[in-house]
Amino acid sequence: MSITTSTAKTAPPPAADAGVAWTGSGRANQILVLTARSLRALVLEPRVLLTSMLTPLLMLVVFSQIFVSVAATPGFPAGVAYIDYLLPAIMVNTAMQSALQTGIALTHEMRDGIITRLRSLPVWPGSILIGRSLAELVRGAIRLTFLLAFALLLFGFRPSGGPVGVLTAMALALVVGGGLGWVFIALACWMRHIELVQNLSGMVTLVLMFGSNAFVPIGSLPGWLQVIATLNPMSYGIAAARDLTLGHPATGGAALALGASLTVATLAAAIAVRGFQRPA
């Protein structure tokens, strides 16, 4: 008996087009993946998150004691406890400080070569910056939650706006602080030197914070500082967050604060992407 062997051959799988290069995923997916990457760093190094929570707490403790006598001055809002006046300013500043950390982290990654590896991939440069910024917003939300719990338990923070007003003010602080924080991201993308970025960011933070209505009403400031505070977009964010926590109408103030911070964010983001694309 003879066995007939089939000579038919199985057709090979279709080959991929050699001339088609992989162009990467969409920008939305890139941002999602890069945001998750930055958040994993917080999980893997929780000490960084824990220590970053101490800064707003120390600010609340120190400034609430140093400036508490401001509540007795003629220009201070009547019937408002100083802790209720101060905390919205600390909230906005805390959100902005989280964005400052974005700039410092970027300079570290540029120095260590991580950014160079990411830029060798088909990734939109803006995705790297936005992903890092969104991750810091998450950290900012955690810091603000811890700050509010601390103020409620130990400082008697009981604003008339109630939980809705406080949570809305928290969301506003994150948007305003995150928007203004793009200034620090732009500095990092252009300076690319850790010490220089830290020094410049510190100076910008001092101007934005102390040249505002954070600690005293604008009318109580010297004339030249009143001009700076009036032009300072952080003043509008603090005023809107303060109105929300105190239960005052804040629709117009919130719209002005959001418009100012988003304008700053748009301009700074464009500058940041331009600087980020420069050769190392």
Side-chain angles (χ1 to χ4, degrees):
M1 179 184 296
S2 62
I3 301 175
T4 304
T5 304
S6 174
T7 58
K9 296 182 179 179
T10 304
D17 293 337
V20 178
W22 180 61
T23 57
S25 58
R27 292 184 178 182
N29 190 54
Q30 291 175 14
I31 293 172
L32 180 63
V33 171
L34 292 169
T35 301
R37 165 188 170 270
S38 298
L39 288 175
R40 280 195 297 270
L42 294 180
V43 176
L44 295 175
E45 192 57 67
R47 293 175 297 177
V48 176
L49 178 61
L50 292 176
T51 54
S52 68
M53 291 180 179
L54 296 178
T55 301
L57 297 184
L58 289 175
M59 291 180 62
L60 181 63
V61 172
V62 172
F63 291 133
S64 65
Q65 301 303 309
I66 292 177
F67 295 108
V68 66
S69 59
V70 173
T73 58
F76 194 81
V80 177
Y82 189 69
I83 186 66
D84 296 343
Y85 184 87
L86 174 66
L87 190 59
I90 303 295
M91 291 168 61
V92 175
N93 183 73
T94 299
M96 189 175 65
Q97 289 289 335
S98 295
L100 185 152
Q101 295 301 319
T102 304
I104 295 176
L106 278 173
T107 55
H108 279 287
E109 292 187 341
M110 290 178 186
R111 182 195 63 184
D112 296 340
I114 298 175
I115 296 299
T116 301
R117 294 179 62 185
L118 289 175
R119 291 175 61 180
S120 66
L121 301 173
V123 175
W124 177 52
S127 298
I128 302 173
L129 303 181
I130 295 173
R132 171 66 72 172
S133 178
L134 291 177
E136 289 299 334
L137 278 181
V138 174
R139 177 160 71 166
I142 297 173
R143 296 174 73 191
L144 286 181
T145 302
F146 190 71
L147 173 68
L148 289 173
F150 185 83
L152 287 168
L153 294 175
L154 300 181
F155 278 79
F157 178 61
R158 298 293 187 276
S160 54
V164 175
V166 172
L167 292 177
T168 307
M170 177 179 170
L172 179 70
L174 287 171
V175 175
V176 171
L180 297 180
W182 273 93
V183 173
F184 305 118
I185 298 176
L187 285 175
C189 291
W190 282 92
M191 300 303 174
R192 302 187 179 185
H193 192 280
I194 295 175
E195 288 78 9
L196 185 58
V197 171
Q198 288 176 329
N199 292 337
L200 289 176
S201 297
M203 288 189 291
V204 172
T205 301
L206 285 176
V207 172
L208 289 174
M209 188 169 182
F210 288 97
S212 69
N213 57 352
F215 306 113
V216 298
I218 292 180
S220 302
L221 297 172
W224 64 273
L225 199 53
Q226 289 185 26
V227 175
I228 295 177
T230 302
L231 298 175
N232 186 352
M234 188 173 177
S235 295
Y236 300 102
I238 293 173
R242 193 171 280 151
D243 286 338
L244 288 168
T245 58
L246 296 176
H248 299 161
T251 304
L256 185 60
L258 291 174
S261 61
L262 292 178
T263 299
V264 172
T266 301
L267 295 175
I271 296 172
V273 173
R274 182 73 177 271
F276 189 76
Q277 290 176 319
R278 290 187 308 138

